[in-house]
Amino acid sequence: AAREGQNTFRFFTEDLNTAAWQRLALEQDLRRALEQESLELHYQPKVDLRSGEVVGVEALARWQHPVEGNISPMHFIPVAEETGLIRPLGEWALREACLQAMAWQSQGLPPLVMAVNLSARQLLQPGLADMVARILTETGLDPALLELELTETAVMARPEETSTLLQELKSLGVRLAVDDFGTGYSSLAYLRRYPFDTLKIDRSFISNITTSADEAAIAQTIIAMGHGLRLQVVAEGVETEEQATYLRSHRCDQLQGYLFSRPLPAGKMTELLAKGSRL
Ligand code: C2E
Ligand code: CA
Ligand code: CA
Ligand code: CA
């Protein structure tokens, strides 16, 4: 038993070393990617369920690693958070998204709400609201056309501090969205204490709405409660016509998902907007 324990320990430390090295290498590569501005944003449309029109887009970071290929933000955002690189990354993403929104406006496309994700760590970053204010001034984007997406768990990690921050952000005139709603443990009534405009129902509730009565009931309840609290409700991860039909019949406001479009590079998104594509 003792030998077994020793072996386990050895394997464990080796694994840990490998993981630590990989982390470090990834961190260095990410730092370089930021410096060389080789990260990109892709944009996924949000569609109004009544008119079928694109009313907004969400900016999603993409990293084409020179050796590893495409690395998912699910992988590199946590690395950025742990290493402090989230600060320059977040600032880059916000500026890039605002500049793109301005570029579409100057091409005469109808105004869209540009949504940008803020991670949990960013909410703790001193001077975050000042950074947002500075980028709005720098780029000239109307604050009413910027929406910041924050997850429910990030908000609830520090309810008091976040409340102050959200008031500061709200006073800039930007929109605030609760992302991944339903995956945390908080109630909508609790979230109402914060100045949110939009609630995004997590994809996990959407995938089974047409096959599971329970999931359908949850989605329906979130929509009704969101409306009761005067929030706009967006369904994420909508992949089928049946899901869209269900959501429309239950008065969900917008959908986002592969059914209408995957996240697209700026050029492809420009084409989609110029064509005036509808759901
Ligand atoms: P999220 O904010 O919940 O973004 C939605 C994710 O769902 C995106 O994954 C999107 O590509 C994916 N998605 C959209 N429609 C569908 C669908 O119909 N089916 C399925 N299966 N998936 C769909 P992505 O782009 O891989 O991003 C993952 C997460 O990484 C995001 O989740 C967000 O938390 C984070 N992230 C991405 N970009 C940024 C960024 O610029 N800053 C920060 N802080 N986080 C980011
Ligand atoms: Ca999001
Ligand atoms: Ca989400
Ligand atoms: Ca998510």
Side-chain angles (χ1 to χ4, degrees):
R3 256 182 69 199
E4 203 177 284
Q6 232 172 11
N7 282 342
T8 309
F9 178 70
R10 227 190 65 204
F11 285 132
F12 177 68
T13 51
E14 273 176 7
D15 283 354
L16 200 68
N17 281 331
T18 315
W21 273 112
Q22 281 174 350
R23 258 294 136 112
L24 192 63
L26 203 61
E27 178 192 343
Q28 284 170 345
D29 292 350
L30 185 57
R31 194 181 298 278
R32 195 166 309 125
L34 272 165
E35 282 163 8
Q36 297 174 346
E37 297 185 52
S38 62
L39 296 181
E40 257 190 71
L41 289 181
H42 283 194
Y43 301 91
Q44 187 177 37
K46 294 183 187 175
V47 184
D48 183 287
L49 271 160
R50 263 155 303 178
S51 68
E53 281 170 34
V54 177
V55 289
V57 294
E58 177 176 2
L60 294 157
R62 294 290 178 265
W63 182 17
Q64 187 69 40
H65 188 281
V67 180
E68 310 289 332
N70 223 8
I71 301 183
S72 163
M74 307 265 258
H75 193 45
F76 72 78
I77 295 290
V79 174
E81 288 209 285
E82 284 164 31
T83 55
L85 285 173
I86 194 66
R87 195 182 179 109
L89 193 157
E91 181 163 348
W92 163 79
L94 187 64
R95 180 178 293 108
E96 184 76 11
C98 291
L99 287 171
Q100 185 59 61
M102 290 304 281
W104 283 327
Q105 275 181 42
S106 69
Q107 289 169 48
L109 296 166
L112 298 173
V113 175
M114 173 62 75
V116 178
N117 291 286
L118 291 182
S119 70
R121 178 72 183 269
Q122 281 177 285
L123 300 186
L124 307 177
Q125 182 178 302
L128 177 71
D130 291 341
M131 189 267 276
V132 174
R134 183 160 41 77
I135 287 179
L136 284 167
T137 311
E138 214 179 89
T139 59
L141 184 68
D142 176 357
L145 296 179
L146 177 65
E147 185 160 80
L148 301 173
E149 297 191 0
L150 297 76
T151 66
E152 186 189 354
T153 25
V155 171
M156 292 312 160
R158 299 252 201 134
E160 294 307 321
E161 289 88 336
T162 307
S163 174
T164 312
L165 170 68
L166 295 192
Q167 295 299 341
E168 261 186 283
L169 289 170
K170 196 62 216 171
S171 68
L172 301 175
V174 302
R175 301 177 56 87
L176 298 172
V178 193
D179 205 349
D180 299 351
F181 186 80
T183 55
Y185 295 97
S186 50
S187 71
L188 261 175
Y190 191 77
L191 280 173
R192 190 57 218 170
R193 293 176 33 199
Y194 302 88
F196 284 113
D197 304 281
T198 304
L199 187 153
K200 298 187 78 178
I201 310 175
D202 191 69
R203 187 168 80 222
S204 58
F205 295 107
I206 305 303
S207 47
N208 295 320
I209 46 174
T210 52
T211 50
S212 151
D214 289 350
E215 312 254 321
I218 293 172
Q220 197 181 324
T221 305
I222 296 175
I223 297 168
M225 283 177 73
H227 285 162
L229 296 166
R230 294 178 304 280
L231 296 167
Q232 183 183 302
V233 182
V234 180
E236 3 176 77
V238 178
E239 294 182 351
T240 68
E241 284 292 349
E242 291 72 31
Q243 291 164 355
T245 303
Y246 180 90
L247 291 162
R248 192 181 290 110
S249 71
H250 289 91
R251 306 276 182 274
C252 184
D253 301 292
Q254 294 173 17
L255 69 72
Q256 184 182 348
Y258 296 168
L259 171 67
F260 184 72
S261 172
R262 290 187 173 253
L264 301 172
K268 289 260 182 280
M269 187 65 206
T270 308
E271 285 171 28
L272 185 147
L273 293 172
K275 274 193 293 192
S277 307
R278 280 165 179 252
L279 183 68

